[in-house]
Amino acid sequence: MRFIHIADVHLGAEPDAGSAYSEERPGELWGTLERVLEICEQERTDLLLIAGDLFHRQPLLRELKEVNYLFSELTHTQVVLIAGNHDHIRKDSHYRTFQWAENVHPLFESRMSCVEFPEFQTCVYGLSYHSREIREPLYDRCSAGGVRRYEILLAHGGDEKHIPIDRKALGKSGFDYIALGHIHKPQVLEKDRIIYAGALESIDQNDTGAHGFVSGEITDRGVRTRWVPFAQREYIHLQVQVDEEDTAGSVRKKICKLKSEYNNKNIFKITLTGVRGEDVVLDAGRMDDVGNILEIVDETRRKYDLERLKRENSGNLIGRFIGEFGEYDEGSLEEQALCEGLEALLNHKGSQI
Ligand SMILES: [Mn+2]
């Protein structure tokens, strides 16, 4: 029996709304799901497991029709899904009344239930969120029922407010495979057995690194899985080292060069570090047109010609301030205090002119 395990697709989300690439993002979430379905079709995958938060919020009726159509086109694959905290089954949820295609099997009860697939000797268990939060550790007490040869648990949660999970209890639950969702970073709790697939596409800028799905096979010899990177974009945080010789233009070029080492669809957060020349203005706002840059954080320190400044300001506050500092090490707290103090004093002086 071969399966694909995805989670946290978050259809309907609009990550980073307002930035240059963000208009394409909602469509990309759908696009990546469609590409997963193409893989299911090509590989004749038996089972597609969706471990919650297929939608980012309450699904619209037309969105359910769309997603159901896509599932219904699969000629070899059975789809099992649960609702997570984001798309929890509210009283007025369209999930309650929607008529799914024959090959789609929602486990929408708030208590554990299961769906059996005699054709590949498998039973899939799961429950769905009926509220935004569930603080009870519902998975701690559950165990495989022994109904079919292969038993799978579809589960969503793992933090304090969303069904806290005890790894040990899960480990003893007797399931052959536990398909987890909710934590967006892919991670393996037990090799080939208890796995967070991670969000199919990252939907948060702090959620860096690759995203994708789990591809698995269950045979008499056990379960084998591999994780498949599949997302169109990644969030990447980069540091760019600035030195005294740099100008705004040369920093911009450094950013472009560093970015070019990555897939150009990726989304970048850049931190400028190091020392900039005394009179260099690094206008981060004017550098983001190099493309797909979410944010540029300027953490550079200004390099001052202290002797000259002291000479030019002898007798005023700036000169006295510099004089207060004796010897200090490069990068020390003293140096930082001197630079920040000077910057404030010089800016203040400038504004008075
Ligand atoms: Mn969730």
Side-chain angles (χ1 to χ4, degrees):
M1 193 280 285
R2 284 182 302 150
F3 66 87
I4 281 180
H5 159 204
I6 61 172
D8 297 275
V9 185
H10 285 268
L11 297 172
E14 291 177 46
D16 313 323
S19 59
Y21 56 83
S22 64
E23 274 178 32
E24 298 163 32
R25 235 13 220 151
E28 287 175 5
L29 302 184
W30 282 89
T32 302
L33 175 65
E34 286 178 40
R35 286 192 298 127
V36 171
L37 302 180
E38 280 166 24
I39 300 280
C40 290
E41 191 62 12
Q42 280 164 18
E43 297 187 347
R44 299 172 147 238
T45 305
D46 296 300
L47 200 53
L48 174 63
L49 302 164
I50 304 176
D53 287 356
L54 175 60
F55 288 92
H56 188 59
R57 38 145 177 79
Q58 294 297 312
L60 306 174
L61 187 55
R62 68 172 169 79
E63 290 173 325
L64 287 182
K65 285 181 183 169
E66 285 301 331
V67 89
N68 185 53
Y69 168 75
L70 298 173
F71 292 156
S72 73
E73 288 280 276
L74 295 166
T75 57
H76 290 88
T77 309
Q78 302 295 317
V79 181
V80 186
L81 73 150
I82 55 174
N85 54 313
H86 275 268
D87 54 355
H88 68 273
I89 299 176
R90 227 163 54 181
K91 279 206 173 65
D92 57 352
S93 173
H94 292 296
Y95 270 153
R96 286 182 185 269
T97 49
F98 191 74
Q99 292 295 311
W100 294 92
E102 264 178 28
N103 66 324
V104 183
H105 312 275
L107 295 171
F108 282 168
E109 301 292 315
S110 59
R111 289 170 160 229
M112 198 65 78
S113 63
C114 71
V115 52
E116 292 180 49
F117 302 99
E119 64 274 33
F120 39 82
Q121 306 178 71
T122 299
C123 185
V124 182
Y125 298 74
L127 57 82
S128 282
Y129 283 65
H130 283 226
S131 57
R132 218 181 291 263
E133 292 181 3
I134 300 178
R135 289 168 183 262
E136 299 97 279
L138 297 178
Y139 299 124
D140 284 4
R141 282 168 280 130
C142 75
S143 56
V147 179
R148 294 284 165 185
R149 185 168 204 151
Y150 307 126
E151 306 220 309
I152 292 175
L153 174 65
L154 205 49
H156 190 93
D159 65 34
E160 193 190 336
K161 293 178 181 171
H162 306 98
I163 316 188
I165 282 174
D166 176 358
R167 285 186 196 200
K168 274 195 187 150
L170 267 194
K172 290 181 194 152
S173 60
F175 292 101
D176 297 281
Y177 183 74
I178 300 177
L180 291 169
H182 185 61
I183 307 292
H184 285 192
K185 209 171 185 60
Q187 52 187 291
V188 176
L189 300 191
E190 188 183 316
K191 188 177 181 295
D192 284 334
R193 187 157 169 251
I194 309 178
I195 299 177
Y196 279 104
L200 186 58
E201 284 274 346
S202 177
I203 57 153
D204 183 276
Q205 55 170 293
N206 293 316
D207 186 11
T208 55
H211 285 77
F213 62 83
V214 177
S215 173
E217 186 171 16
I218 305 186
T219 64
D220 291 342
R221 283 167 290 152
V223 188
R224 299 197 65 174
T225 62
R226 83 195 152 92
W227 188 78
V228 182
F230 205 64
Q232 297 196 41
R233 300 182 195 253
E234 274 179 45
Y235 288 93
I236 295 176
H237 293 187
L238 292 177
Q239 281 207 356
V240 173
Q241 185 73 26
V242 175
D243 61 47
E244 287 171 58
E245 310 301 319
D246 273 314
T247 64
S250 68
V251 171
R252 198 162 177 264
K253 198 166 175 185
K254 279 184 179 175
I255 295 173
C256 287
K257 185 158 175 288
L258 206 55
K259 270 186 62 196
S260 69
E261 292 166 23
Y262 297 85
N263 172 348
N264 64 7
K265 278 203 97 177
N266 290 333
I267 300 161
F268 296 87
K269 183 174 172 180
I270 311 268
T271 304
L272 306 178
T273 60
V275 181
R276 69 187 187 279
E278 190 176 331
D279 52 357
V280 172
V281 177
L282 299 178
D283 185 354
R286 288 192 54 211
M287 288 185 192
D288 64 359
D289 61 340
V290 297
N292 290 359
I293 290 187
L294 187 66
E295 194 183 5
I296 298 179
V297 181
D298 184 1
E299 289 181 358
T300 56
R301 288 170 293 118
R302 201 182 285 275
K303 183 75 180 180
Y304 290 105
D305 182 346
L306 290 176
E307 285 310 312
R308 183 179 57 77
L309 276 174
K310 206 170 157 183
R311 240 185 0 259
E312 288 173 5
N313 293 284
S314 64
N316 70 20
L317 186 60
I318 294 170
R320 294 212 315 272
F321 180 70
I322 297 170
E324 285 298 309
F325 288 85
E327 291 286 308
Y328 55 80
D329 294 327
E330 203 156 303
S332 66
L333 195 63
E334 283 83 0
E335 188 189 21
Q336 202 183 333
L338 174 60
C339 290
E340 283 180 19
L342 261 181
E343 185 151 358
L345 287 169
L346 288 165
N347 282 341
H348 188 60
K349 188 183 171 193
S351 68
Q352 279 181 330
I353 294 168

